[in-house]
Amino acid sequence: MKAITITPRPESEDRAARPSAAKPGDGGHGGSLAPRPGGPFAWWGRAVYRWRWPVVCAWAVALLVAIPILPQVPGRLSAGGFADDRLPSAQAERTLQQELGLPVNTMAVFYVSRDRPYADPAVRGAVDASLQRLQALPEVVGVVPPDLNSRQIGKSGSTAYALVSLAGQPEGTLDLLPELERRAAVPDLPDGGQVEAIVAGGSTFFRDLQQATERDLRKAELVTLPVAAVVLALVFGSLAAAAVTVVVGAATIVLGLAAIFALTFSLDLSIFALNLASMLALGLGTDYALFLVSRFREELRREGWEGQDRNERHERRTGQRASGEALDGGTARAVEVSMATAGRAVFFSAGTVLIGLAGLVGFRFMLLRSLGIAGMVAVAAALTAALTLLPALLAVLGPRVNALPLWRRSGADRGAGSRAASPSREDEAGFWSRVAWFVLRHPWRVLIPTLAILVVLGSPFLGARLSTPDARILPPDTQSRRATDLLAREFDAGAGAPLLLAVTAPGRITAPEQLNTLIDFTRSLAQDPRVQRVDSIVDLDARLTREQYTLLYANPELSPDLWARGASQALARGNITLVSVVPRLDPLGPETKALVKALRATVPAPGWRVQVTGATAGALDLTEYLYRDFPVVVAAVVLITYLLLLVTFRSAALPLKAVVMNVLSLFASYGALAAVFQDGLFAGLPGPFAVPPLGYVEATLPILLFCTLFGLSMDYEVFLLSRMREVYLATGDNGRAVAAGLQGSGRVITGAAAIVVAVAGSFAVTADVVQIKALALGIAIAVLVDATIVRALVVPATMRLLGDWNWWLPAPLRRLLPPEVSGLESAVSSSPSATAGAVLDDQ
């Protein structure tokens, strides 16, 4: 393959092309050789600079108003979010409610006696007293004690549970939980024995989820801000620059959460929105600030103001102090150029993130819609802070943004931003440039192994099993999780999540011919190896024959058997009856889901119909409906993102390549999720790093990661390609554009990615809710892969292979696209990094 060589421009030509460096005292404009950048972003930079103090004051007032609101945000958010009346499981549940009066809000109260069996008279008496107190509540519509059903007594004999039915929906009885728990509590027995009461159910799950989510957020916030501050200090080498960025990130969180609080008065938002919004607000807020502060410092160096040490040298050299007008002039110019270049990139990058998150709004489930809305609010807050508060703070600080350096920079480093590099050897151009030139020389040798690595990383996802979450996503010490573990240990595996069948016959269900068909149906179900047991009006006792059931139900209201009479009244009405099927295996496992599909396809006899509901059926329906809509969302997000990038880069090939790069990063992240949460890759790690496997991948995670990461990963692509385009516009040399773009943005992109990885990683380590841990870990892995393997290796390799086709735009599209509105060319023409042979160097 033909080698790429660097042909430096002749020095005389290079000097002619290069604008003069600004001198202290000339206003920082470098005389007439440095034209002012044009376009709306440069205009906005000048406007913010002019009104810097009013902008800072307005933000201070807004933050003072918003901070007291933050503690109220969690209480305004809702649990749940998967309900949809159009799901087949929801329709079956509605049939059972309307026809049989099946309660939809049933709690289980577990009674655990550690030192004696439930059969002990003292224990039974204490449990009876507890149930009587519960039954006295007006909201309680029914109680089924353990004495009425022996299956409600555990294998050890020391555990039993009662079923308590409440009026209303689970979400609406959260306020009743403290009173339920108070009445259910069992006082110490006369001889000092203890019986623990554990209340579990939908309301408890929602309460536990809300509390655990709030606790996760508090723990993560204690870690994320200090971690982000340390990373920023190392990236900038200056405590002042790092402090500005942290302030903007914190302000973004406050603004975003305050906006979410305002939205809760008109929208129903999920509790999970709290963590996602905080994660995105801090990650993107600091990311955008990092890019803008880096560009601002670079422009200050070009203008001749590198910080206090430069001013002191100027004083010693000239014997006079630099005027305030000169300092202000250099700062104003730096703000203008930063907004015209990095500000423009931030704007379009935020656009790509907003497009991805907008895809979540297209789903009809409240959980995903609210996450999309909250995420968009967080991105809007980050963009607002980056385009208003940050440039105002930079305008106020000026060169003082470099104050409190962690180490003294060498003279070569100080001048790197104010001179053009015309290297004759690539090793003079910096680390990232050397990486780029190596890849440019050996594109196939780099591209093929890296693609193979990405495919291997993503391969575990090919065997992923998708399902909705249950109480196993909660911390082990929560009440709901303890009850779930107790149920699995003391009772049948599927006892807590039976399949509920609404069986409709063509005639009265207790008529002899219908009873015969029902008996055949339930007997065949009981023979299925996936079924533990079947409960119905014809499965009261295995010793009863068909003829005896016919006699029992010949006149159900007058049946001499009280149990049969009660069953017929509770489980059958007219031509509909309830059949309960307890699965033998994990209710959320693939075998039980296959059983649901088989039951729905079953027709016991002509004119009969079987509807299935329950936790397994709901999980199956939710997953299928989610991924029925998902391809449409993917197509819309990809198309709109492509069009936005087409306008941004005025290239037909670059947006397509960017989309492919994002898909590679996402695939690797999906594979990591399957390996960790389904296969238990991290189960053996110590302490907080251990991740107990769920046995499946939570169904919403791939969707959330796509809509979140597609835009988030595009951030780095936009910043990288923006710097490459700056150089290409000035040189027309694809190889130089790639090397200079990677050198100019490599360190900043690495720092930005490190911040997102640190923020998301903090949530992944500190979170106790598995769903939040999985989302955070997926984001961290995808960003890490994207900023290292993809941006440093795959992008330069594909740029080399495409050559000048990277920048190709068909003439018809050129005519259709709006004219360049950024003033980018004028900003680039005044930047030494855009001259032939230039290599950008942010630091």
Side-chain angles (χ1 to χ4, degrees), residues 540-793:
L540 304 180
D541 192 320
R543 296 170 295 180
L544 295 176
T545 65
R546 292 173 184 264
E547 292 74 16
Q548 288 171 321
Y549 276 118
T550 301
L551 290 174
L552 286 175
Y553 294 122
N555 194 345
E557 295 81 5
L558 302 178
S559 175
D561 189 294
L562 296 179
W563 182 246
R565 186 193 308 172
S568 66
Q569 293 172 353
L571 303 180
R573 190 171 299 169
N575 65 333
I576 294 178
T577 187
L578 168 66
V579 175
S580 176
V581 178
V582 177
R584 187 179 299 276
L585 302 172
D586 183 358
L588 295 181
E591 297 86 357
T592 308
K593 290 182 178 179
L595 176 62
V596 171
K597 292 181 180 180
L599 289 171
R600 285 175 170 170
T602 300
V603 180
W608 285 64
R609 184 177 65 155
V610 176
Q611 296 173 279
V612 186
T613 187
T616 307
L620 179 64
D621 293 341
L622 177 64
T623 302
E624 289 183 348
Y625 273 68
L626 281 174
Y627 286 89
R628 187 185 66 181
D629 298 337
F630 190 37
V632 178
V633 172
V634 170
V637 169
V638 169
L639 177 61
I640 297 173
T641 302
Y642 178 87
L643 294 176
L644 178 64
L645 295 180
L646 180 69
V647 174
T648 304
F649 296 118
R650 309 183 73 81
S651 162
L654 287 181
L656 181 60
K657 183 178 66 63
V659 167
V660 174
M661 297 300 102
N662 273 15
V663 170
L664 290 173
S665 301
L666 279 168
F667 185 59
S669 178
Y670 284 178
L673 283 179
V676 173
F677 294 96
Q678 178 175 292
D679 303 330
L681 180 62
F682 292 166
L685 293 181
F689 301 101
V691 181
L694 294 174
Y696 60 85
V697 174
E698 203 279 313
T700 61
L701 282 177
I703 297 173
L704 285 173
L705 284 175
F706 172 82
C707 293
T708 303
L709 287 172
F710 194 83
L712 190 61
S713 297
M714 198 66 76
D715 262 359
Y716 307 122
E717 185 82 9
V718 169
F719 284 111
L720 177 60
L721 294 180
S722 295
R723 298 304 292 260
M724 291 180 180
R725 184 169 180 258
E726 287 185 39
V727 182
Y728 187 79
L729 286 174
T731 68
D733 188 318
N734 180 67
R736 292 175 186 269
V738 173
L742 189 60
Q743 175 64 23
S745 58
R747 182 175 180 179
V748 180
I749 287 178
T750 302
I755 291 170
V756 173
V757 170
V759 170
S762 299
F763 277 85
V765 172
T766 60
D768 291 322
V769 178
V770 176
Q771 199 170 19
I772 297 172
K773 184 184 291 286
L775 178 61
L777 184 63
I779 290 175
I781 291 173
V783 170
L784 181 63
V785 170
D786 187 81
T788 54
I789 297 176
V790 173
R791 301 302 164 208
L793 300 176

Side-chain angles (χ1 to χ4, degrees), residues 6-33:
I6 305 177
T7 307
R9 179 178 291 186
E11 186 175 354
S12 58
E13 185 180 346
D14 190 50
R15 282 197 303 267
R18 186 184 309 141
S20 301
K23 300 186 177 78
D26 69 355
H29 292 273
S32 61
L33 295 179

Side-chain angles (χ1 to χ4, degrees), residues 146-164:
D147 293 342
L148 289 183
N149 187 354
S150 62
R151 295 192 182 107
Q152 292 176 211
I153 300 175
K155 299 173 184 176
S156 66
S158 61
T159 300
Y161 69 88
L163 297 176
V164 179

